[in-house]
Amino acid sequence: MKLKSKKSGEEFSLSSIGISSGHGEFTRFTNEGSQVKITLKDSEGRIWKKDLSELMEEFKVTPEKAKTVFDLKEGDTFYMARTCCGEIIAVEQIWFDTTDQRLARSIGGVFMTEAELKRDLDREKARVYLEAHSKRFEECGKDQYEVCYDPKDGEFFAIKCCGCKSVHNIYFSSESEAQESIDDDAKYWEQLFGVEVTK
């Protein structure tokens, strides 16, 4: 990565990051009274060690923003789902900024990559399966249960909720019914949440 000084205009290439311990070249990170230093090499091969706080003031590093479907320009490629012989397939297309394309994008039907599209299709198939095969609780205003995922523990669990239903959640009339769905339909819950649970 190259950095340019706002003060001098000099360019540096970032060669390593570490902690200065006062014993020569730094090799490890520690928070026990050490200062964070960064080693920079300029265009002439000179080495500079900079304090992180100084570096943050002197250099402005802006991370590249990932391109989204809302950044598409005429001629860019994107993916949409189409049906062919009864199968849903991913089709690469060219963005012409037509009304149909803008409408598809506004309802979530346009994807930057084939992998994103396939993930979305898998998620939607899982939602349809779970809605069709679960003992859904339809009565609004009474206690109900929904399935959640804990990324820390890597597990699904049932949680009690009350009040009005959210459009996209799948509700159950008891904790045991929700847990039964977690146990019996684990593959579909994984697809819905976009995770892989290993036990």
Side-chain angles (χ1 to χ4, degrees), residues 150-164:
D150 183 351
K152 184 180 171 199
D153 295 331
E155 293 178 351
F156 292 106
F157 62 96
I159 188 169
K160 183 178 182 180
C161 54
C162 56
C164 292

Side-chain angles (χ1 to χ4, degrees), residues 4-121:
K4 189 172 187 176
S5 170
K6 290 190 285 188
K7 289 181 185 173
S8 67
E10 196 166 11
E11 279 196 354
F12 294 87
S13 61
L14 192 61
S15 60
S16 64
I17 299 175
I19 300 299
S20 177
S21 63
H23 303 289
E25 200 63 37
F26 43 82
T27 55
R28 62 188 182 88
F29 289 97
T30 176
N31 290 328
E32 297 171 16
S34 297
Q35 276 188 313
V36 176
K37 297 260 188 183
I38 296 184
T39 300
L40 300 167
K41 185 190 269 187
D42 68 17
S43 55
E44 296 173 10
R46 293 177 296 183
I47 304 292
W48 302 79
K49 287 184 183 170
K50 299 271 186 182
D51 243 20
L52 182 60
S53 55
E54 289 175 26
L55 193 69
M56 288 172 71
E57 286 178 30
E58 190 174 342
F59 297 96
K60 183 179 180 183
V61 179
T62 308
E64 281 187 35
K65 181 181 167 270
K67 189 173 180 179
T68 71
V69 294
F70 295 99
D71 299 317
L72 287 168
K73 304 278 187 250
E74 285 195 32
D76 288 347
T77 56
F78 68 98
Y79 289 84
M80 286 181 75
R82 295 282 190 231
T83 56
C84 178
C85 303
E87 290 289 317
I88 298 174
I89 59 169
V91 177
E92 184 178 29
Q93 296 190 341
I94 296 174
W95 186 260
F96 291 111
D97 202 30
T98 65
T99 303
D100 288 346
Q101 288 177 338
R102 289 194 305 271
L103 177 60
R105 177 177 63 185
S106 71
I107 61 171
V110 171
F111 302 86
M112 295 301 293
T113 67
E114 187 174 3
E116 286 175 14
L117 171 58
K118 286 187 175 177
R119 262 194 315 276
D120 192 70
L121 288 174

